[in-house]
Amino acid sequence: MSIIAVNGITKTYRQYRRFPGLIGSVRSLFTRQYTEEDAVNNMSFTINEGEAVGYLGPNGAGKSTMIKMMTGILVPTNGDIKVLGVVPHEARKANAQQIGVVFGQRSQLWWDLPVTDSFDLHKYIYKIPDSAFRKNLELCMSLLSIHEFVQKPVRQLSLGQRMRVEIAMALLHEPKILFLDEPTIGLDVMAKDQIRRFLRTVNRERKVTIVLTTHDMKDIEEICPRMLVVNKGSLVYDGSVEDLRAKLGSERKVIIDFRVDPGLLDIPGITLLQDEGIRKTFLVPRGESTVFEHVSRIASQYPVEDASIESLDIESVIRKLYLQLASEEQPISKIG
Amino acid sequence: MSTYFMFTLKAFVNQLAFRSEVWLRLLGNYFAILIQVEIWRAVIGNGGSASTTVEQMITYSILNTLLFALLLNRVSSKVDGSLKSGSIASELIKPLSYPLYLLFDGLGQSLYQFIFTVIPSLILAWILFGMLPPASTIHFIAFLGALLMALILSFLLGYLVSLLAFWFLSHFALSWTLGGLITIFSGSFLPLWFYSPSWAAVAKLLPFQYLGYVPAAIYLGNLNEAELWRTIALGLIWIILLLVVAHWLWGKAVRRLIVQGG
Amino acid sequence: MTLLLFSKLVRLLLKEKMEYRADFVLSAFAQIISYAGDYIVIWLFMKQFNSIAGWNWPEIALLYSIGLFTYALGASFSFVQMSGLEGQVREGTFDTLLIKPVNPYLYLISRGFNLAYVAHISISGTVLIWAIAQLNLQWSWTDYVYLLLALISGAMIHAGLLTAIGATTFVWVRTGYLFSLFFQLKEFISYPLPIFGTVVQLLLTVGVPLAFVNFYPAAFLLSYETSLIPHWAKWLVPLAGPLIYGLGYRFWMYGANKYQGAGG
């Protein structure tokens, strides 16, 4: 059952122009001109109950804009959007009661007061019954190990601790959907890990639908079986991480250690990625000849000590996708 | 020195971003002057009081309203901002004198105000309300000198407040207090010659009069030659005194900042 | 937005303020000095000229105090909230308001409810009581009721105007100077309206109706002539507050909707 249905959504921003120079400054006193830009362009997708979806794309791809429309903060210029059966900005309050939102860079906590006060206020804002509040709070606090600093003022917390609190708070009113806008930005590896584990648990065990934007591919790999990739306001990929890898990651990285440096090698169809003298890294496509055939052909001509074959990591796959998009300006066919 | 003029230029250019507010500023100054003009018309009327005419008071009000736009009264909030954001540390490690940087930055804003607010307001006020010419060439030159003293003293007072905020940690309270003292003793609305004798005597000893009363009174020729020199001399003494105190406090403040780790 | 939530917010705000107790007290003290400065200059002025447009010092003190008292009351629900809106919109923290299941306006003003106006209120309240005592007025209880209604209405006028200015944030982004303009306009009502020309009187009665804050109520209470409002309309004056506040609120909500349409 679809819990979020986005159908042909477009969001257009107006940007006012400033005129440069001194004459321009006088001109600005009299006129205002603007340009229009589509942050989100004719976007459609659906998300089912219980899914965990990563929403990613390069800076300025319209990720935050889409999140803001799904959470009812912004009104789309065109198109339909339904979250839990209602139009978010029309039934903003009802929608807000059903969703949890975490902004990685915008704290909702009371800076000078202990963490408990922020939790407490949340209870009043969302009118959470005592028993549910206590139960949810206890669960989140123990899973995210918040107990140790719950009495400290927020200003004394580390970024990772603060983010744990933000996420816990967003779940206290038992939302059906949790939106997270870059929840792991600026955090250290340990903090990221804990948050990912927690979100996975929330999604798998408590069946909370998760939509998150991120720049960190590990977030996607560990939390989200499905990802939506957007570029310049359009959806360019919708499917699983594995499928994208299969589609784009067909090349293999081959690292060969030679006995002696063979110098510059020019093998048709193979790209030299890195040259460290006797160790060279190649990018080998899988086509008519297999990767193994390529390697053995090299080994027959030059003395090879060792060779290893690696598949591309997801980071490289995504980078390749963006590069491809930049050069073609044409979306690849959608999968799934 | 050219480095510091660059700060002036930079502050000026930064202000250009707010140029759409020029109209609003003009309107604001017009209101401020209009209120004072109407008050003086109401109490002095067309006959004038024993010593002062309405025209003099109108000129006095215009000069003071516009002078206020020029004063360097954003110094302390700028320092407060750097203190709170912690950027003061990076400003201190630059091979520059921080106080001089603040001064020239403030002058840039004043320059902007002068060109985009004061000049147009002056023309507007002159057309709408009429303004008396300076009492004499000598008075006009002395007036320009007094303007310079007003700029310097406003900077020093703001700077002192920002230094004191290193200890009291409440820039807000200090700047409101300074504002209150300026309201009472600057004479920028009510000239000191209308103060009751005891209040006037106190005000004439303090530095705040240079931010309002002194330049306008010199312009109008309300100070005789002896008073003029005495006032300028006292102003210079205040400048030197505040400079010494500021220098001393600055040294302590930097040390305090280093000890506390910024 | 329930009363329960509001009281919870105020309790947290108090707790927050108490984290910086010394600062709070110092600031309140400094504000009292600053406003005492205004009173002193007006007092020195009145000492010299005895009256302005027929109003003597205690009457001017009454007029000024109603203006300051109502400002403080109204601004505690509007000024910091509305002037801070610019930064909130720029930094995107305003969005966090829109994801709560509450009225964003009510939440904003309650969250920013400013206790610091206690300084303004204490100094203007003290002078107000002093002025009433000094004037030796033979007031009936209806006059006291009228004063009370006027105070509430005046606070609502201030809050309504500040709210309307805050609403322009959603359109113009930079609004700092509009607030300065408001404060400059507010200076007009520190003095009896008749000293100004007809244009200004009309402006402050119809355009930016600040004259309803203190001048009209004070004039009726002190039996002064008011050229623009007839005497029979005396009891209509306290209606200005709810009207202006309502309009300001509507305009703000309109602006917030526009923001949702246009985006940050």
Side-chain angles (χ1 to χ4, degrees):
Chain A
M1 195 201 113
S2 89
I3 199 165
I4 298 175
V6 172
N7 192 4
I9 285 288
T10 298
K11 180 73 193 173
T12 311
Y13 287 129
R14 272 184 185 184
Q15 269 173 341
Y16 287 94
R17 224 180 113 197
R18 281 201 185 279
F19 301 99
L22 199 67
I23 295 169
S25 59
V26 177
R27 217 177 132 191
S28 298
L29 294 178
F30 300 96
T31 61
R32 296 226 294 175
Q33 284 185 3
Y34 58 83
T35 50
E36 291 195 333
E37 200 182 320
D38 288 345
V40 172
N41 188 7
N42 196 19
M43 178 92 71
S44 302
F45 58 82
T46 56
I47 292 174
N48 290 329
E49 197 167 353
E51 277 198 274
V53 178
Y55 198 85
L56 73 159
N59 285 328
K63 299 189 297 284
S64 296
T65 306
M66 196 63 227
I67 291 260
K68 284 182 192 172
M69 288 191 283
M70 291 189 279
T71 50
I73 294 170
L74 291 184
V75 181
T77 315
N78 261 316
D80 304 312
I81 192 164
K82 283 260 172 78
V83 173
L84 292 154
V86 299
V87 180
H89 72 267
E90 282 173 6
R92 201 187 53 77
K93 280 198 234 172
N95 187 48
Q97 189 72 45
Q98 304 260 37
I99 61 171
V101 187
V102 176
F103 291 112
Q105 284 166 311
R106 281 164 234 163
S107 181
Q108 305 186 48
L109 307 172
W110 287 55
W111 194 245
D112 287 316
L113 295 183
V115 174
T116 38
D117 285 320
S118 291
F119 285 148
D120 222 30
L121 185 69
H122 194 85
K123 173 176 180 285
Y124 284 82
I125 294 175
Y126 288 83
K127 305 190 182 80
I128 310 169
D130 277 333
S131 57
F133 177 74
R134 266 197 305 273
K135 190 190 79 201
N136 296 335
L137 186 61
E138 189 45 48
L139 183 72
C140 290
M141 290 218 299
S142 58
L143 282 174
L144 286 164
S145 357
I146 291 173
H147 282 289
E148 47 192 289
F149 52 81
V150 74
Q151 292 304 337
K152 271 197 197 171
V154 173
R155 61 167 190 273
Q156 291 176 9
L157 303 188
S158 71
L159 194 59
Q161 290 173 327
R162 226 155 64 211
M163 191 48 63
R164 273 140 71 190
V165 173
E166 301 264 7
I167 293 174
M169 202 167 85
L171 287 167
L172 293 179
H173 56 287
E174 300 178 12
K176 299 220 168 53
I177 311 174
L178 180 61
F179 292 95
L180 304 113
D181 193 9
E182 309 204 18
T184 57
I185 194 162
L187 304 187
D188 63 46
V189 186
M190 296 286 283
K192 280 182 177 180
D193 240 34
Q194 187 168 24
I195 285 174
R196 285 173 190 145
R197 257 201 321 273
F198 177 73
L199 289 177
R200 208 166 45 218
T201 312
V202 164
N203 175 244
R204 310 284 140 88
E205 282 167 30
R206 293 186 66 193
K207 304 292 177 229
V208 175
T209 308
I210 287 181
V211 178
L212 71 88
T213 72
T214 186
H215 283 291
D216 190 333
M217 283 311 302
K218 284 208 84 174
D219 288 349
I220 305 278
E221 278 190 302
E222 297 195 12
I223 307 165
C224 308
R226 174 182 170 198
M227 65 179 180
L228 299 170
V229 185
V230 286
N231 188 44
K232 297 197 173 139
S234 300
L235 191 63
V236 293
Y237 178 77
D238 179 354
S240 71
V241 178
E242 286 71 38
D243 286 346
L244 184 69
R245 205 203 305 264
K247 187 146 184 76
L248 282 181
S250 56
E251 286 127 327
R252 290 291 178 267
K253 220 155 60 175
V254 177
I255 302 163
I256 300 178
D257 289 329
F258 296 95
R259 291 226 180 90
V260 289
D261 186 354
L264 218 60
L265 289 182
D266 190 21
I267 303 156
I270 292 182
T271 328
L272 181 69
L273 276 184
Q274 208 179 357
D275 190 348
E276 296 161 279
I278 58 166
R279 166 173 287 190
K280 294 189 199 301
T281 310
F282 301 96
L283 194 63
V284 183
R286 288 192 298 183
E288 281 148 35
S289 38
T290 64
V291 177
F292 191 72
E293 280 165 354
H294 277 297
V295 174
S296 47
R297 201 172 310 137
I298 294 170
S300 66
Q301 291 167 29
Y302 307 97
V304 167
E305 178 80 44
D306 192 11
S308 66
I309 303 171
E310 287 174 10
S311 59
L312 289 186
D313 54 4
I314 188 67
E315 203 87 46
S316 315
V317 173
I318 291 291
R319 202 176 304 133
K320 222 184 115 188
L321 178 64
Y322 289 170
L323 280 174
Q324 199 173 318
L325 289 166
S327 63
E328 292 172 15
E329 291 288 28
Q330 216 171 19
I332 60 164
S333 60
K334 290 173 193 171
I335 305 168
Chain B
M1 212 57 192
S2 65
T3 321
Y4 292 104
F5 281 115
M6 281 306 294
F7 290 130
T8 304
L9 203 65
K10 202 164 156 266
F12 181 84
V13 173
N14 276 342
Q15 291 282 313
L16 279 179
F18 310 139
R19 65 207 160 213
S20 53
E21 290 162 8
V22 165
W23 302 117
L24 291 168
R25 277 185 203 281
L26 264 174
L27 191 63
N29 279 337
Y30 169 70
F31 285 157
I33 294 167
L34 178 67
I35 293 171
Q36 296 172 76
V37 168
E38 297 287 22
I39 290 168
W40 296 117
R41 282 186 184 148
V43 294
I44 298 181
N46 296 323
S49 76
S51 56
T52 314
T53 64
V54 170
E55 287 73 27
Q56 279 180 312
M57 282 322 300
I58 290 175
T59 306
Y60 188 93
S61 304
I62 295 172
L63 288 173
N64 264 298
T65 306
L66 300 184
L67 172 63
F68 189 74
L70 288 181
L71 295 180
L72 282 69
N73 42 25
R74 289 177 207 86
V75 177
S76 69
S77 53
K78 192 173 168 89
V79 179
D80 184 55
S82 316
L83 263 178
K84 290 212 170 100
S85 73
S87 67
I88 187 128
S90 66
E91 271 150 11
L92 285 179
I93 56 166
K94 287 184 189 141
L96 301 164
S97 154
Y98 184 61
L100 273 182
Y101 155 72
L102 285 175
L103 174 65
F104 281 83
D105 178 80
L107 287 176
Q109 295 186 8
S110 293
L111 185 64
Y112 171 85
Q113 291 289 335
F114 184 71
I115 294 172
F116 284 92
T117 309
V118 172
I119 296 280
S121 302
L122 193 65
I123 295 168
L124 191 74
W126 184 62
I127 294 168
L128 292 175
F129 304 112
M131 244 186 107
L132 296 174
S136 72
T137 316
I138 301 287
H139 280 99
F140 185 65
I141 294 167
F143 165 72
L144 293 180
L147 275 188
L148 189 66
M149 286 171 78
L151 289 182
I152 295 172
L153 277 165
S154 66
F155 170 77
L156 285 172
L157 289 169
Y159 181 52
L160 268 180
V161 158
S162 65
L163 289 177
L164 288 173
F166 276 62
W167 281 272
F168 292 104
L169 297 170
S170 177
H171 161 259
F172 184 88
L174 287 165
S175 60
W176 271 77
T177 309
L178 177 66
L181 291 172
I182 290 174
T183 305
I184 302 170
F185 296 113
S186 70
S188 64
F189 163 61
L190 185 68
L192 297 189
W193 63 74
F194 285 140
Y195 276 43
S196 57
S198 50
W199 284 87
V202 176
K204 282 186 176 171
L205 289 174
L206 295 172
F208 310 107
Q209 55 171 323
Y210 296 91
L211 309 185
Y213 166 74
V214 169
I218 290 177
Y219 180 95
L220 288 172
N222 279 33
L223 300 182
N224 63 40
E225 206 172 318
E227 280 174 326
L228 182 68
W229 291 120
R230 201 168 52 232
T231 307
I232 288 179
L234 180 67
L236 290 174
I237 291 172
W238 267 116
I239 289 177
I240 293 166
L241 195 70
L242 292 178
L243 265 176
V244 170
V245 175
H247 186 76
W248 176 70
L249 273 179
W250 172 241
K252 296 196 81 152
V254 171
R255 238 170 297 143
R256 187 180 163 86
L257 206 61
I258 292 167
V259 171
Q260 291 196 333
Chain C
M1 189 80 186
T2 56
L3 216 59
L4 202 65
L5 177 55
F6 179 71
S7 68
K8 179 74 199 169
L9 270 165
V10 171
R11 254 177 297 156
L12 287 188
L13 285 164
L14 264 172
K15 199 172 162 190
E16 196 177 46
K17 275 276 175 287
M18 286 306 109
E19 289 277 306
Y20 301 97
R21 214 160 319 166
D23 198 68
F24 185 74
V25 173
L26 270 178
S27 298
F29 194 64
Q31 285 175 312
I32 288 178
I33 292 178
S34 177
Y35 279 101
D38 286 350
Y39 276 114
I40 287 170
V41 172
I42 296 172
W43 170 69
L44 286 167
F45 176 90
M46 295 307 291
K47 231 170 116 131
Q48 175 74 23
F49 297 99
N50 297 317
S51 76
I52 179 165
W55 294 52
N56 62 24
W57 159 235
E59 289 172 333
I60 291 287
L62 177 88
L63 181 76
Y64 188 85
S65 298
I66 296 177
L68 184 56
F69 190 87
T70 55
Y71 165 71
L73 226 57
S76 65
F77 282 102
S78 55
F79 176 59
V80 174
Q81 296 87 328
M82 295 302 154
S83 58
L85 203 54
E86 185 187 318
Q88 288 208 25
V89 167
R90 196 182 333 106
E91 280 151 32
T93 41
F94 181 70
D95 292 345
T96 61
L97 230 80
L98 293 173
I99 54 164
K100 293 186 170 67
V102 287
N103 177 320
Y105 171 77
L106 292 178
Y107 187 79
L108 178 78
I109 60 161
S110 319
R111 171 71 175 88
F113 178 65
N114 195 346
L115 301 151
Y117 285 105
V118 64
H120 299 62
I121 289 177
S122 43
I123 187 167
S124 58
T126 310
V127 179
L128 183 63
I129 292 166
W130 171 84
I132 292 169
Q134 194 72 16
L135 284 165
N136 213 1
L137 298 158
Q138 306 299 315
W139 278 0
S140 66
W141 64 271
T142 51
D143 291 310
Y144 286 102
V145 170
Y146 189 75
L147 177 66
L148 187 69
L149 290 177
L151 290 178
I152 296 167
S153 162
M156 291 177 104
I157 292 173
H158 278 125
L161 292 173
L162 286 167
T163 302
I165 293 173
T168 61
T169 309
F170 298 120
V171 193
W172 291 332
V173 184
R174 263 189 65 92
T175 53
Y177 202 72
L178 278 180
F179 286 103
S180 314
L181 198 64
F182 170 81
F183 289 115
Q184 263 156 335
L185 269 176
K186 201 162 74 66
E187 286 294 303
F188 278 105
I189 61 164
S190 304
Y191 307 93
L193 199 61
I195 69 165
F196 302 110
T198 321
V199 177
V200 172
Q201 293 199 29
L202 274 172
L203 172 75
L204 296 174
T205 306
V206 189
V208 186
L210 281 165
F212 287 92
V213 166
N214 59 349
F215 173 70
Y216 288 122
F220 285 127
L221 283 170
L222 301 172
S223 312
Y224 275 108
E225 218 28 63
T226 54
S227 54
L228 290 173
I229 308 266
H231 196 267
W232 57 262
K234 175 180 170 180
W235 287 90
L236 293 180
V237 168
L239 290 178
L243 183 72
I244 292 161
Y245 186 68
L247 286 172
Y249 169 74
R250 280 292 184 77
F251 183 51
W252 195 92
M253 290 302 270
Y254 167 79
N257 277 328
K258 196 139 178 105
Y259 168 85
Q260 287 191 279

